Amino acid sequence: MTKVNLKQYIQFSVVNKAQFPCNLKLEVTLDNEIFNSPGIFFLFYRGELIYIGFTNNNQNVIGERVIRQIATITMRDYRLQFTNAALDALINDPVFDSYFNVPKPIVANTDFVTSVNRVNFASSHWDEFKNFNNETLSRFEMEWYPNPKVIGCISIEEISQQLIEYYKPRCNKEYCKPILNY
């Protein structure tokens, strides 16, 4: 297992012709061979496990997967897209009332797609994400488990799914907000 602060490996820049808040571009700045293998990653924000993901190839997991997760969790990247349900959550959240009006959010399902859970997470951290800077980026950490042994499991994907079901991180699709009964 390797734990890293993602500020060491990711940088962001402002995209000149993109409208705030979707006006940043996240990209890898430091390539390390340790991240170029199949494996499972845990993504943390301020110490909270917020996402579990995996990769089955030998590409850099930070460049291939983690950047997309941070971009869609913070809702600040210029490539951001919404599902219909995520757009409804955005429109109905008073925190975002004056932010995503121009240009109109893109509803698509190709690459940098956010979800209802991520809209809700971004809403609860919007004061930090709307002012995204190096300090905000430094609050993201990753635990990387390369080449996990698949003993008793069919695949890395199956192990990842079992971990998601057990931990239920807030930015994975499997998360459901607890219903409080008083």
Side-chain angles (χ1 to χ4, degrees):
M1 187 272 293
T2 301
K3 187 168 187 169
V4 296
N5 184 297
L6 289 167
K7 185 177 177 279
Q8 299 171 28
Y9 295 93
I10 297 173
Q11 73 176 8
F12 67 93
S13 58
V14 175
V15 177
N16 289 331
K17 296 192 180 206
Q19 179 71 33
F20 173 84
C22 298
N23 64 333
L24 300 181
K25 180 179 182 180
L26 297 164
E27 55 194 344
V28 173
T29 57
L30 183 60
D31 195 6
N32 186 327
E33 275 195 34
I34 193 168
F35 301 120
N36 297 343
S37 66
I40 297 172
F41 65 94
F42 287 33
L43 184 60
F44 296 84
Y45 186 72
R46 292 185 160 269
E48 176 189 352
L49 175 61
I50 61 170
Y51 183 82
I52 297 173
F54 71 96
T55 183
N56 276 322
N57 62 42
N58 293 312
Q59 295 177 358
N60 182 296
V61 68
I62 296 173
E64 179 205 5
R65 300 276 292 125
V66 175
I67 283 182
R68 286 186 192 127
Q69 305 316 317
I70 294 174
T72 58
I73 287 168
T74 63
M75 299 195 337
R76 290 298 316 276
D77 196 279
Y78 78 104
R79 298 164 283 196
L80 184 67
Q81 300 173 355
F82 292 82
T83 64
N84 285 320
L87 183 57
D88 286 344
L90 178 81
I91 291 168
N92 292 310
D93 190 321
V95 169
F96 300 120
D97 191 39
S98 62
Y99 290 102
F100 289 85
N101 299 326
V102 178
K104 186 177 178 183
I106 298 168
V107 175
N109 192 14
T110 56
D111 205 7
F112 282 74
V113 182
T114 197
S115 67
V116 172
N117 288 344
R118 292 166 191 233
V119 169
N120 293 336
F121 186 82
S123 175
S124 66
H125 293 281
W126 191 242
D127 284 342
E128 297 170 85
F129 294 163
K130 73 179 176 188
N131 299 309
F132 196 92
N133 56 29
N134 282 322
E135 184 178 336
T136 311
L137 185 56
S138 73
R139 294 177 185 137
F140 284 96
E141 295 179 310
M142 178 183 79
E143 287 181 2
W144 173 235
Y145 298 88
N147 300 308
K149 293 185 173 42
V150 291
I151 299 169
C153 293
I154 298 169
S155 66
I156 291 173
E157 182 176 3
E158 183 181 326
I159 295 169
S160 180
Q161 193 60 43
Q162 289 174 358
L163 291 165
I164 291 166
E165 288 174 16
Y166 181 79
Y167 289 108
K168 296 192 183 338
R170 288 202 289 165
C171 294
N172 281 94
K173 66 182 176 187
E174 293 78 4
Y175 175 78
C176 293
K177 188 175 181 176
I179 298 171
L180 301 175
N181 295 322
Y182 293 99

